[in-house]
Structure formats: C-alpha cells, structure tokens
Amino acid sequence: MDLTVRPRRLRSSTLLRKMVRETRVDPSSLIYPMFVIEGSNKVEEIPSMPNQFRYTVDEMDRKLDALLKAGASSVMLFGIPSHKDEVGSQAYAEDGIVQQALRHCKEKYPELYLMTDVCMCEYTSHGHCGVLCGDYVENDKTLELLAKTALSHVQAGSDMVAPSDMMDGRIRAIRELLDENGYVTTPIMSYAVKYASSFYGPFRDAAGSAPSFGDRKSYQMDYHNLREGVKEAMLDVEEGADIIMVKPAMSYLDVVRELRPLIDLPMCAYSVSGEYAMVKAAAEKGWIDEEKIMCEMAASAFRAGTDLYITYYAEELAECMKKGLIG
C-alpha cells in the first residue's frame, strides 16, 4: 500500500515514544492533600480512603519524609479541629490546628512548599462554608472571615493560600488583606471552578465536614454548566488569583480544556477523594491495575492542560515518574 503518512513510525520503540511525547510531567507538579488533627501520637486511617490518614502534628513527619524521598515537595494542609462553632473560629485562631502544623513544617522541612485550604466547612458546627443567616450562607459576612483565615495561615508560614469556599469576591477580599499586611508576594490558588459534586463523599468523611442540613448547591457550581465555569475563572483572574483550579478533575477535564486557551495563568486540577476511592475499591477487587490507572488519570489531566495536579497519589506518582512509567 502506498502510504506517505504513517503515524506508527513514531511508536516503534520505547525510547522513540518517550522522545516525541507531547505531555511531560515532573514530581514538582504534584501536590499532596494532608489532613491534620489535634492531639498527639495519633495516626487515624480514613475508612473510605484506604492508605490515607489523619495525622497529629507530631506524627506528620513519617508522611512528609516519604513524600520528599519520592520527590514530591508540595503539600496542601486541611485542618480538623476538636472544637467547632457557628463562625468557625478555629479556622483563624493563632493556635489553630493548621497554624500549628505550618509552624512545625516550616521549622523542620524548609524544603517543603506549604499550601493551605482556606474554607470554613471543617470548622463550623453546621458544616457549611460560611456564616449562616437562617439556613442561607451569607456571602459578604463570610468574606471577612475567609480573609482573616488566609492571613493567619500566611503569618504561620503558609507559602500559598487556596480558598475553596466559592463565595463571590473572596479572591479580592483575601488579596487586599494580604497586601495590607505586607504579604504582597504570597500567591493565591483559587478553587475557581468547584462543582457541587458527589465525588467529595470520602473527603467529608475524612474531614468531618458534611453539612448538618441541606447541601452546598447555592454556592458550589451546578455540574451541568461549562460557560458558568469560564465566568467564575475569569472573575477570579480579575480579582487577583495567581493560579486557577478546576475541581474535581476526572469528570471535568473538558472545563480545563476550555479554560486553557483563555487564561494565561498556571492551572491546577484536583483529583478528589471519590476518584481515589473508586480506584482503590476496584483495585482491591482485582478488576483494574491500580498503578496503571493512577498514571493514566494523571496524564489525562496534564494532557487536558493542567500544570499542577492535587492528588492523594502524589507519593506513588512521583515514584512512577522516577521509573519512567509516566512523564
């Protein structure tokens, strides 16, 4: 057959396939989400997320050491306080659990890049992401507390803050307060396009953050909507976001792809707890190859246009990159 164009020519060997690979990734692009609890000498396995744990500050080192050894040097901290109240006061307390963890990590692991999730849901007694007015989350009253929380994180050592609440105007509120206090160089990663998703179930188990009534559909996005996601992202860019995130990752890579040519900022995708739990469950049944699926999911996010990838598989993916299984 007289074929001039034969795409298979560039697939003939492992070395050649790697040489012409379009999507290349590195462990520096991985971010590990870590749950920190109060107390001491505790490592609690999360039932719905096998091989994921909640750590007290004095027990964090075992995981941090493993991450650094694998080559993953970025961590996003989520705090689980022992006390919750209507206004989530432990989120911005000087001795809050995230603030304690930040000081520990800054002192012992200067090579780590520390990010913090900024939200109220883990800290409020009602489990919603802001201040309530009746059964409704009051947007503008919440902004003050979110900004206050972000500032307290940065003062404790956070290198980057990542608001996940989906309140209108929170990027501007945080940027202004950080700047007023001299933190003009601290970047903000915005959970700009965060859908009201059933993929978050295991996280709410891990963080004890399920709402005590109703749901979060009045502030998180309707998963049917793409144009609205573009609008949310563009608004956050205008307000001063430095990195734009899409969450969840796997079922929302079309949103990443849509945003990529429109936004001249780094983009992040969060492979959330439900994605992790599904892979784990199927792997335990012997139905899939966990390592291969993990790598394929990550590559798909980078192929879609993300630059950063938040994943509970950060350590394992970094090891796979070392072996040349992905990257």
Side-chain angles (χ1 to χ4, degrees), residues 206-241:
S209 63
S212 60
F213 65 89
D215 54 41
R216 296 183 176 137
K217 293 181 180 179
S218 69
Y219 42 103
Q220 294 179 1
M221 283 182 50
D222 183 342
Y223 62 76
H224 297 84
N225 296 352
L226 174 60
R227 294 192 302 273
E228 186 184 14
V230 173
K231 178 181 180 180
E232 287 278 9
M234 299 305 286
L235 283 170
D236 284 0
V237 171
E238 290 176 15
E239 291 182 17

Coordinates of all heavy atoms in Angstrom, one line a residue, residues 206-241:
A206 N -13.5 12.1 55.8 CA -12.1 12.3 56.3 C -12.0 13.6 57.2 O -11.4 13.6 58.2 CB -11.1 12.4 55.2
A207 N -12.7 14.7 56.7 CA -12.6 15.9 57.4 C -13.8 16.2 58.4 O -13.8 17.3 59.0 CB -12.5 17.1 56.4
G208 N -14.8 15.4 58.4 CA -15.9 15.6 59.2 C -16.6 16.9 58.8 O -17.0 17.7 59.7
S209 N -16.8 17.1 57.5 CA -17.2 18.4 57.1 C -18.6 18.4 56.3 O -18.9 19.3 55.6 CB -16.2 19.0 56.1 OG -16.0 18.2 55.0
A210 N -19.3 17.3 56.4 CA -20.6 17.2 55.8 C -21.5 18.2 56.4 O -21.6 18.4 57.6 CB -21.2 15.8 55.9
P211 N -22.3 18.9 55.6 CA -23.3 19.9 56.2 C -24.3 19.2 57.0 O -24.8 18.1 56.7 CB -23.9 20.6 54.9 CG -23.6 19.6 53.8 CD -22.4 18.9 54.1
S212 N -24.7 19.8 58.1 CA -25.7 19.2 59.0 C -27.1 19.3 58.5 O -28.0 18.6 59.0 CB -25.6 19.9 60.4 OG -25.9 21.3 60.3
F213 N -27.3 20.1 57.5 CA -28.6 20.2 56.8 C -28.4 20.7 55.4 O -27.4 21.4 55.1 CB -29.5 21.2 57.5 CG -29.0 22.6 57.5 CD1 -29.4 23.5 56.5 CD2 -28.2 23.1 58.5 CE1 -28.9 24.8 56.4 CE2 -27.7 24.4 58.5 CZ -28.1 25.3 57.4
G214 N -29.3 20.4 54.5 CA -29.2 20.9 53.1 C -28.0 20.4 52.4 O -27.4 19.4 52.6
D215 N -27.6 21.2 51.4 CA -26.4 20.9 50.6 C -25.7 22.2 50.3 O -26.0 23.3 50.8 CB -26.8 20.2 49.3 CG -27.9 20.9 48.5 OD1 -27.8 22.2 48.4 OD2 -28.8 20.3 48.0
R216 N -24.7 22.1 49.4 CA -23.9 23.3 49.1 C -24.1 23.8 47.7 O -23.3 24.6 47.1 CB -22.4 23.0 49.2 CG -22.0 22.6 50.7 CD -20.6 22.3 50.9 NE -20.3 22.1 52.3 CZ -19.5 21.1 52.8 NH1 -18.9 20.3 51.9 NH2 -19.4 21.0 54.1
K217 N -25.3 23.5 47.1 CA -25.6 23.9 45.7 C -25.9 25.3 45.5 O -25.9 25.8 44.4 CB -26.8 23.0 45.2 CG -26.4 21.5 45.1 CD -27.6 20.7 44.6 CE -27.2 19.3 44.5 NZ -28.3 18.4 44.0
S218 N -26.1 26.1 46.6 CA -26.3 27.5 46.5 C -25.0 28.3 46.3 O -25.0 29.5 46.0 CB -27.1 28.1 47.7 OG -26.4 28.1 48.8
Y219 N -23.9 27.6 46.5 CA -22.6 28.3 46.3 C -21.6 27.5 45.5 O -20.9 28.1 44.7 CB -21.9 28.7 47.7 CG -22.0 27.8 48.8 CD1 -20.8 27.0 49.2 CD2 -23.1 27.7 49.6 CE1 -20.8 26.2 50.3 CE2 -23.1 26.8 50.7 CZ -22.0 26.1 51.0 OH -22.0 25.2 52.1
Q220 N -21.6 26.2 45.6 CA -20.8 25.4 44.6 C -21.6 25.3 43.3 O -22.8 25.4 43.3 CB -20.5 24.0 45.2 CG -19.5 24.1 46.4 CD -19.2 22.7 47.0 OE1 -19.7 21.7 46.5 NE2 -18.5 22.7 48.0
M221 N -20.9 25.0 42.2 CA -21.5 25.1 40.9 C -22.3 23.9 40.5 O -22.0 22.8 40.8 CB -20.4 25.4 39.8 CG -19.8 26.8 39.8 SD -18.6 26.9 38.5 CE -19.5 26.2 37.1
D222 N -23.3 24.2 39.6 CA -24.1 23.1 39.0 C -23.2 22.4 38.0 O -22.7 23.0 37.1 CB -25.3 23.7 38.3 CG -26.2 22.7 37.7 OD1 -25.9 21.6 37.5 OD2 -27.4 23.1 37.4
Y223 N -23.1 21.1 38.1 CA -22.2 20.3 37.2 C -22.6 20.3 35.8 O -21.9 19.8 34.9 CB -21.9 18.9 37.8 CG -23.1 18.0 37.9 CD1 -23.6 17.4 36.8 CD2 -23.6 17.7 39.1 CE1 -24.6 16.5 36.9 CE2 -24.6 16.8 39.3 CZ -25.2 16.2 38.1 OH -26.2 15.3 38.3
H224 N -23.8 20.8 35.5 CA -24.2 20.8 34.1 C -23.6 22.0 33.3 O -23.7 22.0 32.1 CB -25.8 21.0 34.0 CG -26.5 19.9 34.6 ND1 -26.8 19.8 35.9 CD2 -27.1 18.8 34.0 CE1 -27.5 18.7 36.1 NE2 -27.7 18.1 35.0
N225 N -23.0 22.9 34.0 CA -22.6 24.2 33.4 C -21.1 24.3 33.1 O -20.3 24.2 34.0 CB -23.0 25.4 34.4 CG -24.5 25.4 34.6 OD1 -25.3 24.7 34.0 ND2 -24.9 26.3 35.5
L226 N -20.8 24.7 31.9 CA -19.5 24.9 31.5 C -19.2 26.4 31.3 O -18.2 27.0 31.8 CB -19.2 24.3 30.1 CG -17.9 24.6 29.4 CD1 -16.7 24.2 30.3 CD2 -17.8 23.9 28.1
R227 N -20.1 27.2 30.7 CA -19.9 28.6 30.5 C -19.8 29.3 31.8 O -19.1 30.3 32.0 CB -21.1 29.2 29.6 CG -21.1 28.7 28.2 CD -22.0 29.5 27.3 NE -23.4 29.5 27.8 CZ -24.3 28.6 27.5 NH1 -24.0 27.6 26.7 NH2 -25.5 28.7 28.0
E228 N -20.6 28.9 32.8 CA -20.5 29.5 34.1 C -19.2 29.3 34.7 O -18.6 30.1 35.5 CB -21.6 28.9 35.0 CG -21.7 29.6 36.4 CD -22.7 28.9 37.3 OE1 -23.2 27.8 37.0 OE2 -23.0 29.5 38.3
G229 N -18.6 28.1 34.5 CA -17.2 27.9 35.0 C -16.2 28.8 34.4 O -15.3 29.3 35.1
V230 N -16.3 29.1 33.1 CA -15.5 30.1 32.5 C -15.6 31.5 33.1 O -14.7 32.2 33.4 CB -15.7 30.2 31.0 CG1 -15.0 31.3 30.3 CG2 -15.4 28.9 30.3
K231 N -16.9 31.8 33.4 CA -17.2 33.1 34.0 C -16.5 33.2 35.4 O -15.9 34.2 35.8 CB -18.7 33.3 34.2 CG -19.1 34.6 34.9 CD -20.7 34.6 35.0 CE -21.1 35.9 35.6 NZ -22.6 35.9 35.7
E232 N -16.7 32.1 36.2 CA -16.1 32.1 37.6 C -14.6 32.3 37.5 O -14.0 33.0 38.3 CB -16.4 30.8 38.3 CG -17.9 30.7 38.7 CD -18.1 31.4 40.0 OE1 -17.3 32.1 40.5 OE2 -19.2 31.2 40.6
A233 N -13.9 31.6 36.6 CA -12.5 31.6 36.4 C -12.0 33.0 36.0 O -11.1 33.5 36.6 CB -12.0 30.6 35.4
M234 N -12.7 33.6 35.1 CA -12.3 34.9 34.6 C -12.5 36.0 35.7 O -11.7 36.9 35.8 CB -13.1 35.3 33.4 CG -12.9 34.4 32.2 SD -11.2 34.2 31.7 CE -10.9 35.7 30.9
L235 N -13.5 35.9 36.5 CA -13.7 36.8 37.6 C -12.6 36.7 38.6 O -12.1 37.7 39.1 CB -15.1 36.5 38.3 CG -16.3 37.0 37.6 CD1 -17.6 36.5 38.3 CD2 -16.4 38.5 37.6
D236 N -12.2 35.4 38.9 CA -11.1 35.3 39.9 C -9.7 35.8 39.3 O -8.9 36.3 40.1 CB -11.0 33.8 40.3 CG -12.1 33.4 41.2 OD1 -12.9 34.2 41.6 OD2 -12.1 32.2 41.6
V237 N -9.5 35.7 38.0 CA -8.3 36.3 37.4 C -8.3 37.8 37.6 O -7.3 38.4 38.0 CB -8.2 35.9 35.9 CG1 -7.1 36.7 35.3 CG2 -8.0 34.4 35.8
E238 N -9.5 38.4 37.4 CA -9.6 39.8 37.5 C -9.4 40.3 39.0 O -8.8 41.4 39.3 CB -11.0 40.3 37.1 CG -11.3 40.2 35.6 CD -12.7 40.6 35.3 OE1 -13.4 41.1 36.2 OE2 -13.1 40.3 34.2
E239 N -9.8 39.4 39.9 CA -9.7 39.8 41.3 C -8.2 39.5 41.9 O -8.0 39.9 43.0 CB -10.7 39.0 42.2 CG -12.1 39.4 41.9 CD -13.1 38.6 42.8 OE1 -12.7 38.0 43.8 OE2 -14.3 38.6 42.5
G240 N -7.4 38.9 41.1 CA -6.0 38.7 41.6 C -5.5 37.3 41.8 O -4.5 37.1 42.4
A241 N -6.3 36.3 41.4 CA -5.8 34.9 41.6 C -4.5 34.7 40.8 O -4.4 35.3 39.7 CB -6.9 34.0 41.1

